[in-house]
Amino acid sequence: MGSTSDARVKRRKVFYIPGYDPFPPRRYRELYRKEGAAQAAISGYDLEMLGALEGADFGWRVQTGINGQTVQAEIEVLIWSDLVQESFHDSIVLTYLAMLRTAWIYISTGALWRLMRLRKGPVIAALYPVAMLIAQLAAACVVFWGVSAVMHWALSGVAAPFLASILSLALGLAAAAFLLRGFRSHDGKFFAYYLMHDFAHTASEHGAYPSALTNRLNRFEGRISEALASDVDEVLIVGHSSGAHLAVTVLSDLLRTQSDTPNGPELAFLSLGQVVPMVSFLPDAHELRRDLRFLSKQEALTWVDVSAPGDGCSFALCDPVSVSGQATSEKRWPLVFSAAFTQSLSPARWRALRWRFFRLHFQYLCAFDQPKDYDYFQITGGPITLRERYANRPASRSRIEDSVSKFTSVGP
């Protein structure tokens, strides 16, 4: 792709690919509005939301004034929340069956043991819904036993022994089912069903992309291709959480077919809080591993990967290309560095957020009250390209670059 001669941006197109999120994308607009205003006030620049995008599924426009330069950006959310919603189901029985299947896939393939060699946080996050669902089932079993015993004692004097046994078992089952439904309806507090559906969806095809998701990624590719043919200065793709590995595949497919345009926009990719190994370590993730290898060698884009050890839901500072066994002598990307939550958040702010694990996983999209060199709103709305912003930025020395995945095949 082309580049702006002075690396300055007046107009930018941003595509945001969210993670496994069943909620409507308007939450990202409101998050950008609130946190962008907070960051602008802290860092001393102007940021104004201008309204919705026309002709897009969902997005908004923003204007910034930074160091005397005015920049306009269009931010479009590439939506796959409908596919996430389809992967959800209300059946408690099916959720437990999915738990057993998913656990078996990660254990039997050896992926779980390899993932444990990287970071403990995301592995604990993966085991959490299993432990929570088992605990809920154990609680239901205790309720079943207790209600059945009490009701059998109460009925034994007024009903035939056989009838008393049947009624007490039925009431025990009803009480246990009521408790399990209660846990399910309050999953907004526990996140057990949500996370279980997330990991079950990831492992559903042993690392391969489901056909419906592949079709959606093709549509994403088309939207980005249209932007590259426009007169913006930079096209920036942001992939957060599970959206990071989806962006890897979208960009790889795009660059395999897109001819280089010397005077076209800069192409940049920002991956945030990635969980790539959860997919790339599975046996049938041939396409993703091939895309990781391909994208890491491309000169036509800039790829910056930002994470933080304080984010227990991501594989922080794990080079997604290298740990997946796809690093070659031609590897250029990604530049891996830390958002350093413990340094870029004040002690008071860090104490307030430290144990809010899911909130911390979204901190990359939020304001920092002691910002260092990572500022999501300047990256998406500021006057400097991603390439220029981090041209001299060294990678974090504590990053993990060892090849850890058991499966490294990229297929035929």
Side-chain angles (χ1 to χ4, degrees), residues 172-242:
L173 284 172
F178 180 80
L179 180 63
L180 287 174
R181 284 197 297 270
F183 283 133
R184 178 69 181 88
S185 64
H186 290 87
D187 196 57
K189 297 180 179 179
F190 302 111
F191 296 102
Y193 282 81
Y194 165 74
L195 286 172
M196 194 66 259
H197 286 137
D198 186 353
F199 296 124
H201 181 267
T202 298
S204 62
E205 303 291 336
H206 293 77
Y209 289 126
S211 58
L213 184 55
T214 296
N215 293 335
R216 188 62 52 87
L217 297 184
N218 291 336
R219 198 167 90 183
F220 293 173
E221 179 188 346
R223 292 292 300 131
I224 297 171
S225 181
E226 291 173 9
L228 287 170
S230 68
D231 60 352
V232 299
D233 301 306
E234 183 182 47
V235 174
L236 171 66
I237 290 79
V238 178
H240 176 237
S241 191
S242 299

Side-chain angles (χ1 to χ4, degrees), residues 152-187:
H152 188 273
W153 172 81
L155 293 171
S156 60
V158 297
F162 177 75
L163 182 59
S165 296
I166 294 297
L167 288 174
S168 61
L169 288 174
L171 290 170
L173 284 172
F178 180 80
L179 180 63
L180 287 174
R181 284 197 297 270
F183 283 133
R184 178 69 181 88
S185 64
H186 290 87
D187 196 57

Side-chain angles (χ1 to χ4, degrees), residues 108-402:
S108 65
T109 61
L112 180 63
W113 321 121
R114 301 284 177 143
L115 292 170
M116 291 175 67
R117 291 169 54 183
L118 295 177
R119 297 289 184 190
K120 295 180 181 179
V123 176
I124 293 173
L127 295 176
Y128 165 79
V130 176
M132 182 58 72
L133 288 173
I134 290 175
Q136 292 177 6
L137 183 61
C141 289
V142 170
V143 168
F144 166 75
W145 177 84
V147 171
S148 296
V150 170
M151 294 309 300
H152 188 273
W153 172 81
L155 293 171
S156 60
V158 297
F162 177 75
L163 182 59
S165 296
I166 294 297
L167 288 174
S168 61
L169 288 174
L171 290 170
L173 284 172
F178 180 80
L179 180 63
L180 287 174
R181 284 197 297 270
F183 283 133
R184 178 69 181 88
S185 64
H186 290 87
D187 196 57
K189 297 180 179 179
F190 302 111
F191 296 102
Y193 282 81
Y194 165 74
L195 286 172
M196 194 66 259
H197 286 137
D198 186 353
F199 296 124
H201 181 267
T202 298
S204 62
E205 303 291 336
H206 293 77
Y209 289 126
S211 58
L213 184 55
T214 296
N215 293 335
R216 188 62 52 87
L217 297 184
N218 291 336
R219 198 167 90 183
F220 293 173
E221 179 188 346
R223 292 292 300 131
I224 297 171
S225 181
E226 291 173 9
L228 287 170
S230 68
D231 60 352
V232 299
D233 301 306
E234 183 182 47
V235 174
L236 171 66
I237 290 79
V238 178
H240 176 237
S241 191
S242 299
H245 67 260
L246 301 184
V248 167
T249 291
V250 170
L251 286 168
S252 295
D253 289 345
L254 175 73
L255 289 174
R256 288 188 182 101
T257 58
Q258 185 92 13
S259 59
D260 188 26
T261 307
N263 297 319
E266 279 268 6
L267 179 61
F269 172 33
L270 177 66
S271 51
L272 302 172
Q274 56 87 8
V275 291
V276 170
M278 288 298 297
V279 184
S280 65
F281 278 33
L282 292 172
D284 292 343
H286 306 294
E287 182 178 2
L288 176 57
R289 290 192 290 266
R290 181 172 66 248
D291 294 339
L292 287 165
R293 178 181 298 188
F294 174 82
L295 203 64
S296 71
K297 300 184 291 185
Q298 300 307 303
E299 298 182 13
L301 90 162
T302 301
W303 178 5
V304 174
D305 180 74
V306 180
S307 56
D311 172 16
C313 296
S314 74
F315 284 93
L317 301 183
C318 295
D319 185 316
V321 175
S322 298
V323 300
S324 302
Q326 302 309 313
T328 68
S329 60
E330 302 174 82
K331 180 178 179 291
R332 302 169 57 91
W333 310 111
L335 169 65
V336 177
F337 69 84
S338 176
F341 290 173
T342 57
Q343 300 173 40
S344 53
L345 293 169
S346 66
R349 188 64 178 148
W350 173 244
R351 284 194 300 271
L353 295 175
R354 185 174 184 179
W355 304 111
R356 296 175 59 188
F357 300 113
F358 295 104
R359 170 58 177 79
L360 281 174
H361 193 46
F362 283 84
Q363 178 58 40
Y364 311 98
L365 312 177
C366 299
F368 291 87
D369 58 353
Q370 291 184 172
K372 299 182 71 177
D373 64 346
Y374 174 77
D375 180 331
Y376 180 66
F377 306 97
Q378 289 200 54
I379 291 171
T380 55
I384 304 175
T385 64
L386 190 69
R387 182 184 293 268
E388 180 64 19
R389 181 176 297 276
Y390 296 115
N392 300 312
R393 178 52 156 100
S396 291
R397 287 178 293 180
S398 58
R399 69 192 183 280
I400 299 174
E401 292 189 299
D402 298 330

